[in-house]
């Protein structure tokens, strides 16, 4: 951040601003100082980092989701930390396949009803064994969303960072229930109109 601020604001202008931004009006002989403003994307807060999308690769990731009873769980949703993230649903025996991947390390999570599994870090190579994700009982987070005057906000979209793209909407009391989430520290984000 410090380097970005130095580069944008303190470093000065382009090569035409070698004199530190001071310019003389040839007609009046008065010196003026050129000012620079931040780009619109910085002033508006719209500047965002993005990652290059993963290229299509030759590899297929295979795995299985197991429940607390060590049996395969059908209908579980598995998320893969590719760019962009991908998700698949498991077959009846808990197995799943994700194709067209490049060899690298991925993080996988899974959930089914109130069970959650992962994150599992998995290095995919041409000789990798199938990955196993074990589900256990997830936690529940009850979030109350209020405005500056502490009045409840109705219809706010709330999500926990380990819930993927799924969001919950607050009720008339400003309350949203998020589940399942992994036990431990949970980061929660709420967005509302205005």
């Amino acid at each position: 951040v410090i380097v970005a601020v130095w580069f944008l604001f303190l470093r000065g202008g382009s090569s035409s601003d070698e004199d530190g931004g001071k310019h003389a009006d040839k007609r009046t002989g008065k010196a003026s100082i050129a000012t620079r403003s931040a780009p619109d994307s910085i002033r508006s807060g719209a500047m965002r980092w993005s990652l290059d999308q993963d290229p299509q690769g030759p590899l297929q990731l295979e795995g299985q989701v197991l429940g607390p009873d060590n049996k395969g769980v059908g209908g579980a949703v598995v998320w893969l930390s590719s760019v962009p993230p991908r998700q698949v649903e498991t077959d009846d025996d808990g197995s799943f396949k994700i194709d067209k991947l490049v060899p690298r390390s991925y993080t996988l999570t899974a959930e089914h009803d109130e069970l959650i599994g992962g994150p599992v870090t998995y290095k995919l190579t041409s000789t990798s064994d199938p990955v196993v994700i074990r589900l256990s009982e997830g936690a529940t987070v009850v979030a109350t969303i209020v405005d500056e005057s502490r009045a409840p906000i109705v219809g706010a979209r709330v999500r926990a960072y380990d819930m993927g793209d799924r969001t919950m909407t607050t009720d008339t009391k400003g309350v949203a229930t998020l589940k399942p989430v992994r036990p431990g520290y949970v980061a929660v984000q709420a967005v509302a109109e205005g």
Side-chain angles (χ1 to χ4, degrees):
V1 171
I2 293 170
V3 170
V5 169
W6 173 82
F7 185 78
L8 291 173
F9 300 107
L10 303 179
R11 187 170 167 257
S14 62
S15 58
S16 64
D17 291 339
E18 297 283 334
D19 58 355
K22 296 180 183 177
H23 301 279
D25 187 328
K26 291 182 180 177
R27 290 174 291 151
T28 63
K30 293 182 180 176
S32 63
I33 297 176
T35 59
R36 298 177 53 187
S37 60
D40 291 338
S41 62
I42 294 176
R43 284 196 306 265
S44 66
M47 181 178 276
R48 295 188 182 189
W49 292 101
S50 63
L51 298 173
D52 292 335
Q53 288 193 2
D54 289 345
Q56 285 193 3
L59 300 183
Q60 176 173 271
L61 187 154
E62 297 180 358
Q64 187 177 27
V65 176
L66 302 178
D69 57 0
N70 281 331
K71 294 181 180 177
V73 177
V77 178
V78 178
W79 283 279
L80 178 75
S81 67
S82 56
V83 180
R86 294 172 63 181
Q87 72 179 54
V88 295
E89 191 169 301
T90 59
D91 296 332
D92 292 340
D93 63 351
S95 64
F96 64 92
K97 295 178 182 177
I98 305 173
D99 61 0
K100 299 180 181 177
L101 297 174
V102 295
R104 70 172 176 89
S105 292
Y106 293 93
T107 301
L108 295 105
T109 58
E111 77 172 52
H112 182 263
D113 293 336
E114 309 227 347
L115 301 174
I116 193 163
V120 174
T121 301
Y122 178 77
K123 186 171 184 178
L124 178 63
T125 66
S126 58
T127 59
S128 296
D129 291 330
V131 63
V132 175
I133 304 173
R134 299 185 185 279
L135 298 179
S136 59
E137 188 174 344
T140 299
V141 173
V142 179
T144 303
I145 311 304
V146 297
D147 61 17
E148 293 172 347
S149 63
R150 305 205 51 85
I153 298 177
V154 179
R157 296 178 308 282
V158 186
R159 74 179 183 100
Y161 279 97
D162 66 353
M163 292 178 64
D165 292 331
R166 290 183 304 111
T167 60
M168 302 299 183
T169 304
T170 55
D171 59 17
T172 55
K173 296 180 180 178
V175 175
T177 302
L178 311 174
K179 65 181 180 180
V181 295
R182 281 188 289 277
Y185 290 103
V186 179
V188 176
Q189 179 190 50
V191 178
E193 191 67 30

